[in-house]
Amino acid sequence: MALFDAASLAANDNPVSSTVDDMLQADPELQRRLQQVHLVLVTAPNAPIDTHLISEWNGVNPSMAIHAPYSAAQWEGIDVTGIPSFHLLRNGKLVDRRTGWSDTGKADLLKLIDAAE
């Protein structure tokens, strides 16, 4: 499972999230690979949640819906302080992660996906 902190993705309120959003929308093959590794888009556990924006995102992107954690305890050990944050979990354990986005962001994300497959 790959986790992605998606709060600002729905809001599209920063350049990094806009870049990730644009990349996801423009690359059906990347979307397919993310779905294969069971991508879960989540808001940060303690972040304020704008349910309108999440609902809007989920309506447009049903195959990559954003989920809001029920409690912070569900995500104990998952650090989502960087945007974006990608976490690779295997059997509920953190295996690897990528935080932030650079010019090599897509290549870094593909390496993480490769490790999950």
Side-chain angles (χ1 to χ4, degrees):
M1 174 194 312
L3 298 174
F4 172 58
D5 173 26
S8 61
L9 182 63
N12 211 12
D13 63 356
N14 73 49
V16 170
S17 292
S18 296
T19 300
V20 173
D21 181 28
D22 292 345
M23 179 196 62
L24 289 172
Q25 298 303 324
D27 194 337
E29 177 61 17
L30 179 59
Q31 288 181 32
R32 184 190 66 76
R33 292 198 61 204
L34 287 167
Q35 290 169 1
Q36 280 183 311
V37 295
H38 307 289
L39 174 73
V40 177
L41 298 174
V42 297
T43 61
N46 296 319
I49 300 169
D50 186 334
T51 55
H52 172 73
L53 291 174
I54 291 174
S55 178
E56 187 176 296
W57 168 271
N58 289 351
V60 174
N61 303 283
S63 65
M64 293 192 316
I66 295 173
H67 305 275
Y70 175 72
S71 71
Q74 288 180 302
W75 303 102
E76 189 175 20
I78 301 296
D79 177 17
V80 290
T81 55
I83 297 174
S85 296
F86 296 92
H87 297 77
L88 175 61
L89 304 176
R90 201 169 278 126
N91 299 321
K93 304 280 188 216
L94 181 64
V95 175
D96 199 357
R97 68 179 232 175
R98 300 289 186 276
T99 302
W101 197 262
S102 67
D103 293 341
T104 62
K106 183 176 177 181
D108 294 340
L109 179 56
L110 288 170
K111 286 179 190 173
L112 193 63
I113 293 170
D114 290 342
E117 292 179 324

